[in-house]
Amino acid sequence: MKFELAKLVPELERARQVALERLAAEHLRSDKIKLQLHDAAKNGHRALRLPLPDGIDLSKTDGADMLRQWAKQNALTVDWISRTATLEAGRQASGFDVEISW
């Protein structure tokens, strides 16, 4: 049984990483975030929190790296805020939202 699991785990990890990159590309797009930042500023705010899917950590994705580089170029600060989410069947998972401030 262990041998079969040894084959399955790498497949699962690859599928998970592909999903994380897809989610990061969807949620961490600088063009969409730029519009949201302008809206936040127009409403008197100095920060914008972007809620990300529950129980997901996108901070170690290529999309997150691109967001950090874009933020640095624009003198913005990016923080990853930890939170606990309650998922299906009451399962608890740690997740992260992104907060961008100026």
Side-chain angles (χ1 to χ4, degrees):
M1 186 66 136
K2 248 186 182 180
F3 181 69
E4 291 174 16
L5 287 178
K7 290 181 181 180
L8 181 59
V9 171
E11 290 177 33
L12 295 173
E13 285 301 323
R14 278 191 299 276
R16 177 180 178 271
Q17 193 58 41
V18 167
L20 291 176
E21 293 296 344
R22 180 184 46 78
L23 287 166
E26 176 185 339
H27 291 280
L28 303 177
R29 289 181 40 194
S30 60
D31 58 335
K32 290 171 82 174
I33 292 171
K34 182 179 178 181
L35 294 174
Q36 293 174 305
L37 289 169
H38 278 284
D39 287 343
K42 288 176 186 175
N43 287 315
H45 299 284
R46 291 190 51 97
L48 170 71
R49 183 170 290 190
L50 301 170
L52 298 175
D54 289 340
I56 304 291
D57 180 3
L58 299 177
S59 67
K60 295 171 183 68
T61 61
D62 293 341
D65 289 341
M66 291 181 356
L67 174 65
R68 282 188 279 270
Q69 290 171 9
W70 175 80
K72 186 176 180 179
Q73 292 169 353
N74 289 283
L76 301 168
T77 301
V78 175
D79 290 311
W80 295 86
I81 310 298
S82 176
R83 66 180 168 88
T84 300
T86 301
L87 306 176
E88 68 280 346
R91 186 172 77 85
Q92 301 254 309
S94 294
F96 292 85
D97 292 336
V98 177
E99 187 165 284
I100 301 171
S101 57
W102 58 94

